[in-house]
Amino acid sequence: MKYFYLALLGMLVAGCNTKGARITGAAHGLNGEVVSIIDSAGAIVDSAVISGGQYRIKLPELKAPGYFTFSVQQDGHPRDFEIYLENVKYIIDIPVKTTDYLRVKTTSKTQNELSAYCNFEDSLMYRFHHEVDSLNVKITDADSKKLSDAEFDEKVKQIQWAQAREKGARIGIMSSFIDKYPQYEIVAHIIAGMDYKNNPQEYYLVYEKLSPSAKNSSEGKRLGAALRSMLNIKN
């Protein structure tokens, strides 16, 4: 009998030590919607249905940590967020406000840096997002049919100018984030996902502010080499 209980205890311990990312969270006001974790190739790794404002996902052990897409189907459209997954626990609450980033609690250093950046950007980019959204509404609502061709073209130009200001603001925000969190490495990844080829000089100035560890990360090295090549800067 003693050996039976020891074997049972061993099974329970083994069960508790199951490896893999564990994700739970709240989704207030949502019920029946699907949460999916999507890898860099666009394949769904796992998904769960929100029930009673809660969901739970147990991923198999990840061969390597990396960036994934956290996608929520809501009103027939996906709300996509970038997340960084390791084989640790995550509490990821889905915000009610669609412009906000996920509320994430985890021990993952990279995810915590990503959360810090996204929240920092959200707090400063609201005015620019609101301007673009408001202008888009003006050319898509019923009243837009009353606009003359010249008036419509002017609205389109205003949207383009607002989008340009939005892009410029994002570069400034990255620079301000580095000033506030000089030890964080996440900005190299953020820049790598931007269209920096159309404005390499501005992005290179931001890159130069990165810490040595950020520049020496795998993404930092690739980004630095690409920017220097475009600007004909010798190592």
Side-chain angles (χ1 to χ4, degrees):
M1 182 65 71
K2 177 178 70 175
Y3 297 109
F4 170 77
Y5 283 116
L6 288 174
L8 179 60
L9 178 61
M11 291 173 64
L12 290 172
V13 171
C16 292
N17 289 333
T18 300
K19 296 180 180 180
R22 297 291 181 264
I23 306 172
T24 60
H28 298 297
L30 301 180
N31 190 49
E33 286 82 358
V34 176
V35 176
S36 299
I37 305 299
I38 304 171
D39 65 19
S40 58
I44 296 176
V45 180
D46 205 348
S47 60
V49 177
I50 299 171
S51 178
Q54 301 285 328
Y55 74 94
R56 181 183 300 271
I57 295 176
K58 294 183 179 181
L59 296 176
E61 183 177 4
L62 300 172
K63 294 180 181 179
Y67 292 95
F68 292 77
T69 298
F70 181 103
S71 183
V72 186
Q73 285 292 330
Q74 188 173 350
D75 299 326
H77 302 285
R79 290 174 61 190
D80 292 344
F81 306 86
E82 185 177 43
I83 59 172
Y84 186 86
L85 292 181
E86 304 178 44
N87 292 311
V88 297
K89 293 181 180 179
Y90 294 78
I91 298 175
I92 303 180
D93 293 340
I94 301 169
V96 175
K97 191 177 178 181
T98 57
T99 55
D100 286 352
Y101 184 67
L102 302 164
R103 290 186 289 274
V104 185
K105 293 181 181 179
T106 182
T107 57
S108 170
K109 174 180 177 291
T110 301
Q111 175 57 50
N112 286 330
E113 289 190 9
L114 179 60
S115 294
Y117 178 81
C118 290
N119 290 327
F120 185 81
E121 183 182 278
D122 287 346
S123 68
L124 298 176
M125 286 295 291
Y126 172 77
R127 180 170 63 86
F128 298 96
H129 291 321
H130 179 70
E131 182 182 15
V132 172
D133 291 343
S134 298
L135 290 168
N136 275 319
V137 167
K138 290 181 180 179
I139 65 169
T140 56
D141 62 14
D143 290 338
S144 66
K145 297 178 181 179
K146 301 176 184 178
L147 297 174
S148 67
D149 290 344
E151 289 172 332
F152 186 85
D153 290 343
E154 181 61 27
K155 294 295 182 185
V156 171
K157 288 181 181 178
Q158 289 177 6
I159 291 174
Q160 293 171 340
W161 292 333
Q163 289 172 334
R165 288 193 293 272
E166 188 177 38
K167 289 181 180 179
R170 184 167 280 114
I171 294 174
I173 286 170
M174 284 189 288
S175 181
S176 296
F177 183 83
I178 295 170
D179 291 338
K180 187 173 183 178
Y181 303 103
Q183 75 279 18
Y184 283 13
E185 300 178 11
I186 195 64
V187 175
H189 171 73
I190 300 298
I191 296 176
M194 298 285 186
D195 187 17
Y196 59 82
K197 295 179 181 178
N198 286 331
N199 195 359
Q201 182 62 54
E202 292 294 328
Y203 282 105
Y204 184 72
L205 293 175
V206 176
Y207 169 81
E208 279 293 275
K209 295 180 67 174
L210 294 175
S211 67
S213 61
K215 289 181 179 178
N216 288 321
S217 66
S218 57
E219 284 186 304
K221 289 179 180 178
R222 289 194 298 270
L223 176 64
L227 289 169
R228 285 191 292 270
S229 176
M230 284 183 283
L231 296 171
N232 294 317
I233 297 174
K234 303 298 182 181
N235 290 335

